[in-house]
Amino acid sequence: MAGWSRAVRGVLLDISGVLYDSGGDGGGTPIAGSAEAVRRIKASGLKLRFCTNETQATREKFVKKLQGLGFDISVDEVTAPAPAACRILKERGLRPHLLVHNDLIPEFAELDKANPNCVVIGDAAENFTYANLNEAFRVLIGMEKPVLISLGRGRYYKETDGLKLDVGAYMKALEYACDVEAEVVGKPAKPFFESALAAMGVPPQQAIMIGDDIVSDVGGAQQCGMRAVQVRTGKYRPCDENHPQVKPDAYVNNLAEAVDILLQQL
């Protein structure tokens, strides 16, 4: 029996690159066996939480898309950056200038955005124009104490037509230009994983993260005390297996294989 699969009570699943490969048209393609793997986890009695850095749509919208692709998933099973960021903004009385995807803006509808005193950046895709980045820069540079909140810090992700730059590249540009360190809300931030664990009611030692991102999924989960498995789907690249800092507890070819191994110990 694989050591990583012992005494697991809860499973955290990344979405993009593990369940499906997203498409630039707002669609996507399920990864073979992944929908059935989700059903098997739920049928097993294990606790399950979907832990995603998705910021190109509201939770409601991308959950509906996943349901259309055959996945058994509901909004209240998803931990995502935008709702977590909204809680932080409200608690701290922050008024955001948004550099996010148009489809994510409804998540921030209840917040005061007049006279912004912080910048929130997400995976804005085509909204990452020079003009929009420069506007965010001007908002930040005009503050005595700049506040930059980033909905994740991924370097790139995979869509059906290839790899795409993620929010982390643009976050780093603003950090450099404004001499500020971003506050990351989303993977790999420890509080983000802790909120997902709390929602499941499972301690980190009894949980496992399954993802395709060696740093945000695997490294972030391990720093939180969880075990973590990397799938060889999505953004996975063979060079990940020689990463100088992060070593997964295991590699599997896909989610279906991970679930096969995991359920053997129940």
Side-chain angles (χ1 to χ4, degrees):
M1 183 188 297
W4 62 265
S5 65
R6 292 190 179 100
V8 172
R9 290 180 49 222
V11 180
L12 295 181
L13 292 183
D14 182 27
I15 292 180
S16 179
V18 176
L19 302 187
Y20 82 120
D21 286 323
S22 58
D25 59 354
T29 304
I31 294 169
S34 57
E36 177 61 23
V38 169
R39 285 191 285 272
R40 292 178 66 201
I41 293 172
K42 291 191 170 186
S44 74
L46 288 169
K47 299 287 185 68
L48 176 62
R49 191 82 186 163
F50 300 93
C51 195
T52 179
N53 273 1
E54 169 66 57
T55 57
Q56 286 197 15
T58 62
R59 283 187 302 172
E60 288 77 9
K61 186 170 182 177
F62 75 76
V63 163
K64 185 176 180 181
K65 176 175 71 173
L66 288 165
Q67 290 170 342
L69 294 173
F71 290 97
D72 180 3
I73 182 174
S74 61
V75 171
D76 60 6
E77 294 175 312
V78 177
T79 298
C86 286
R87 286 193 295 272
I88 291 170
L89 294 167
K90 289 177 182 177
E91 289 168 3
R92 291 165 56 181
L94 293 172
R95 303 179 301 276
H97 170 85
L98 299 175
L99 179 50
V100 300
H101 197 283
N102 289 341
D103 288 345
L104 191 69
I105 290 175
E107 292 273 22
F108 300 89
E110 296 181 3
L111 292 168
D112 180 7
K113 293 178 279 292
N115 189 24
N117 56 2
C118 73
V119 168
V120 173
I121 183 173
D123 180 13
E126 286 76 15
N127 281 351
F128 278 135
T129 63
Y130 175 80
N132 288 342
L133 279 164
N134 199 55
E135 185 179 4
F137 159 73
R138 286 177 171 174
V139 171
L140 282 171
I141 206 70
M143 297 177 191
E144 183 177 349
K145 294 181 179 179
V147 177
L148 174 60
I149 295 174
S150 184
L151 307 180
R153 69 174 192 200
R155 295 180 177 180
Y156 54 85
Y157 57 93
K158 184 183 178 185
E159 289 194 340
T160 50
D161 61 348
L163 297 177
K164 302 290 180 71
L165 278 177
D166 204 350
V167 63
Y170 304 95
M171 177 198 82
K172 285 293 184 182
L174 291 174
E175 282 187 328
Y176 178 70
C178 300
D179 194 22
V180 62
E181 183 176 351
E183 301 174 35
V184 177
V185 180
K187 299 176 290 185
K190 188 175 180 181
F192 191 71
F193 283 105
E194 289 174 339
S195 69
L197 289 168
M200 289 196 301
V202 174
Q205 298 81 5
Q206 296 179 353
I208 190 157
M209 175 74 199
I210 302 173
D212 66 330
D213 189 310
I214 186 71
V215 174
S216 291
D217 294 329
V218 176
Q222 289 177 334
Q223 288 182 8
C224 201
M226 285 184 276
R227 285 162 278 175
V229 172
Q230 186 179 17
V231 291
R232 295 187 177 102
T233 55
K235 70 168 68 173
Y236 163 86
R237 299 169 68 206
C239 63
D240 289 346
E241 301 195 20
N242 298 311
H243 195 279
Q245 281 89 38
V246 183
K247 304 295 179 187
D249 292 272
Y251 297 95
V252 292
N253 288 323
N254 49 45
L255 177 59
E257 181 180 313
V259 172
D260 282 342
I261 297 169
L262 189 61
L263 297 188
Q264 287 174 10
Q265 57 87 38
L266 296 181

